[in-house]
Amino acid sequence: MRKKVSLITGAAGEIGQALIQELAENEKKNILTLDLQPMNGRSQTNITHIEGSITDKSLLDRLVSEYEIEAIYHLAALLSTRAEYSPATAHTVNVEGTLHLLELAAQQSEWRGSPVQFIFPSSKAIYGMPDLATKAAHPRVREWEWNYPTTMYGCNKLYAEMLGNYYSRHYKQLAEKSPVMIDFRALRFPGLISAHTVPSGGTSDYGPEMLHAAAKGEPYACFVRPDTTIAFMAMPDAISALLNLARAPQTGLTRTVYNVTSFSLSAEDFRQQVLKSFPEARITFEPHAKRQQIVDSWPMDIDDGAARKDWGWAPEFGLERCFAEYLVPNIRKRYQ
Ligand code: AKB
């Protein structure tokens, strides 16, 4: 008999590390992790790690011959800054890799006779505000507004959301016998901030980079203007959003893709928050014109009213609590 598992792709990344903790340690699920990197420091019996790529179809075929995959948390992606340096590779990973996994989920659903759940973190990068005046005039965008991404990453995420919608609602719509559809659910995250890991390859990374540099006593030159405003969220809230969306009864869901957010602030306000706890921090502003352009295209805030209404989403960490109770104490411990 094949072993039942939840598959986590991109498991060695920021979200993956925190999610494994919750699923494997607290929920005692059997977890299959897939990443290009080794998973250092984890040796629980309910976690099996496979080093490899989501673009390797023969590897994915091997996995389904050995395991019954009940749920997929598809976290692997090339983030927005990295994707601009190699757009074709980003497309291969972010779109083709996602397509392989959706196919895998569809086949597994058919074989099991019940839907595989597919949880997908998307991003505020799928929005594209044409200029700063429009951004100021539309400070809080809803899911269907301004879907005009300017980055390869944003384009990839938006298309992957649409593929997920297709596989869960319209897959093989002309076949005589309707297939078992997958259960696809996606979240559009704001910039995530973890006290335990430093992100790499993103364009909202200036927030967490500023904070980690201050805690290490290192100077930091922020790559966007002080007035640049976008939304952020603490990593524990991101994990509970993923898990709560996964647990929500399908009957209450009116969308396949939901905005979720916590607080929105400018880069200068972010600096002020950091200075409250690290008054010696040396933070300056040296905007990088092209990365600035990307962040300027992202909305100031995203409207998460649908998630609140449909499945009771509410972040635990607002701005003050996020810094005072999660980020600062854990970051101090980390760099002690
Ligand atoms: C990035 O900066 O690329 C990511 C994102 C916007 O999802 N944090």
Side-chain angles (χ1 to χ4, degrees):
M1 219 168 71
R2 300 183 203 179
K3 187 174 171 185
K4 286 191 183 177
V5 292
S6 293
L7 171 66
I8 305 181
T9 71
E14 276 215 294
I15 307 180
Q17 304 266 8
L19 185 65
I20 293 172
Q21 177 99 0
E22 199 51 48
L23 286 176
E25 290 175 17
N26 301 345
E27 293 199 3
K28 307 278 177 240
K29 296 239 186 224
N30 287 322
I31 305 290
L32 186 61
T33 56
L34 175 62
D35 201 293
L36 293 172
Q37 312 296 329
M39 297 289 292
N40 294 326
R42 286 197 187 271
S43 59
Q44 283 131 284
T45 49
N46 58 341
I47 304 178
T48 308
H49 183 57
I50 311 283
E51 232 172 283
S53 168
I54 55 166
T55 62
D56 181 350
K57 268 211 93 210
S58 57
L59 170 65
L60 298 181
D61 290 343
R62 239 182 24 247
L63 295 186
V64 289
S65 68
E66 280 176 45
Y67 297 95
E68 177 179 341
I69 298 173
E70 296 179 295
I72 300 176
Y73 291 79
H74 174 33
L75 314 179
L78 244 67
L79 296 186
S80 56
T81 292
R82 179 101 45 90
E84 288 311 305
Y85 288 106
S86 35
T89 309
H91 187 275
T92 306
V93 175
N94 297 348
V95 175
E96 288 171 30
T98 303
L99 184 67
H100 290 161
L101 287 156
L102 287 165
E103 271 294 317
L104 180 155
Q107 285 161 16
Q108 284 278 289
S109 299
E110 201 58 41
W111 175 75
R112 301 167 74 228
S114 70
V116 167
Q117 194 173 60
F118 197 110
I119 304 294
F120 182 66
S122 184
S123 161
K124 64 176 178 316
I126 71 92
Y127 296 107
M129 313 306 289
D131 49 56
L132 287 175
T134 313
K135 175 165 167 162
H138 301 272
R140 217 169 137 75
V141 302
R142 288 170 298 179
E143 281 86 351
W144 57 91
E145 296 172 320
W146 304 102
N147 290 180
Y148 309 117
T150 65
T151 59
M152 187 60 170
Y153 172 74
C155 294
N156 295 163
K157 285 286 185 187
L158 185 58
Y159 180 56
E161 288 177 3
M162 289 177 179
L163 285 176
N165 190 58
Y166 168 77
Y167 273 81
S168 61
R169 295 191 177 184
H170 309 289
Y171 180 58
K172 290 192 175 167
Q173 54 194 297
L174 295 183
E176 262 177 36
K177 182 176 167 280
S178 297
V180 178
M181 302 284 179
I182 69 166
D183 175 7
F184 177 86
R185 305 175 182 200
L187 287 171
R188 285 186 192 151
F189 279 128
L192 301 181
I193 325 170
S194 167
H196 306 287
T197 47
V198 190
S200 75
T203 321
S204 54
D205 295 358
Y206 61 88
E209 282 174 2
M210 198 185 280
L211 181 64
H212 282 262
K216 284 189 276 184
E218 291 173 1
Y220 182 70
C222 178
F223 59 79
V224 295
R225 291 185 315 269
D227 66 293
T228 309
T229 302
I230 54 169
F232 288 95
M233 181 186 285
M235 190 57 80
D237 273 334
I239 301 308
S240 58
L242 286 167
L243 294 172
N244 288 337
L245 177 62
R247 289 177 195 133
Q250 183 148 46
T251 47
L253 302 182
T254 57
R255 318 183 47 78
T256 46
V257 181
Y258 287 92
N259 282 345
V260 282
T261 191
S262 183
F263 53 84
S264 173
L265 81 175
S266 70
E268 172 57 20
D269 289 341
F270 207 112
R271 186 178 84 104
Q272 292 302 331
Q273 286 292 333
V274 173
L275 286 172
K276 271 193 209 167
S277 304
F278 301 99
E280 311 292 314
R282 286 162 292 154
I283 302 164
T284 52
F285 289 92
E286 285 176 26
H288 178 288
K290 299 213 163 130
R291 292 182 96 186
Q292 178 73 59
Q293 201 173 294
I294 291 177
V295 187
D296 282 344
S297 78
W298 293 341
M300 299 219 272
D301 202 356
I302 55 179
D303 185 329
D304 58 5
R308 289 175 184 265
K309 182 161 169 282
D310 286 2
W311 46 279
W313 158 249
E316 206 183 310
F317 296 97
L319 175 61
E320 298 299 330
R321 264 198 87 195
C322 175
F323 276 84
E325 292 180 30
Y326 167 64
L327 290 173
V328 172
N330 285 303
I331 280 186
R332 278 199 206 285
K333 232 183 271 164
R334 184 186 158 146
Y335 295 113
Q336 228 164 32

